[in-house]
Amino acid sequence: MVRPKKHLGQHFLKEPAIAKRIAGSLTGKGYDIILEIGPGTGVLTRFLLERKEQLKVIEIDEESVDYLKEHFRELGNKNIIEDD
């Protein structure tokens, strides 16, 4: 289990219903790539992957990156940017 790290200022979205509403609020007009910054444990990522746009995520926390690679293989390594 990945826990938020205070020194990174992490706060994880936990409520799937809110994540689904956020993902559903995107219009998809004028873009074909979504960039999620700080996906943490992927609560929002799951719903963004259901969309037709390509998804890229940026995550600085190595533990979260490992979690994403294990649980969201459809992202592929090229769409997970390990950086700040």
Side-chain angles (χ1 to χ4, degrees), residues 7 22 27 37 39 43 45 53-54 59 62 70 73 84:
H7 72 277
I22 292 168
T27 65
I37 299 171
V43 174
T45 307
E53 297 88 4
Q54 179 185 3
E59 179 60 66
E62 186 176 317
E70 181 179 338
R73 294 179 194 266
D84 187 4

Side-chain angles (χ1 to χ4, degrees), residues 1-15:
M1 181 170 161
V2 179
R3 295 193 183 272
K5 295 166 186 68
K6 284 188 177 185
H7 72 277
L8 293 176
Q10 292 177 325
H11 300 275
F12 293 157
L13 176 61
K14 296 179 183 177
E15 184 57 48

Side-chain angles (χ1 to χ4, degrees), residues 36-48:
E36 182 182 10
I37 299 171
T41 58
V43 174
L44 179 59
T45 307
R46 174 173 43 146
F47 295 105
L48 294 175

Side-chain angles (χ1 to χ4, degrees), residues 16-31:
I18 293 172
K20 186 174 184 175
R21 281 186 31 214
I22 292 168
S25 72
L26 301 175
T27 65
K29 295 178 182 174
Y31 57 89

Side-chain angles (χ1 to χ4, degrees), residues 40-84:
T41 58
V43 174
L44 179 59
T45 307
R46 174 173 43 146
F47 295 105
L48 294 175
L49 282 168
E50 294 175 357
R51 298 179 55 88
K52 64 179 181 178
E53 297 88 4
Q54 179 185 3
L55 176 63
K56 292 187 177 283
V57 300
I58 297 177
E59 179 60 66
I60 190 172
D61 180 28
E62 186 176 317
E63 188 178 22
S64 291
V65 169
D66 291 342
Y67 182 91
L68 293 167
K69 286 180 178 179
E70 181 179 338
H71 292 89
F72 296 96
R73 294 179 194 266
E74 62 271 37
L75 269 174
N77 288 342
K78 67 181 175 112
N79 291 316
I80 299 175
I81 302 163
E82 301 179 54
D83 209 341
D84 187 4

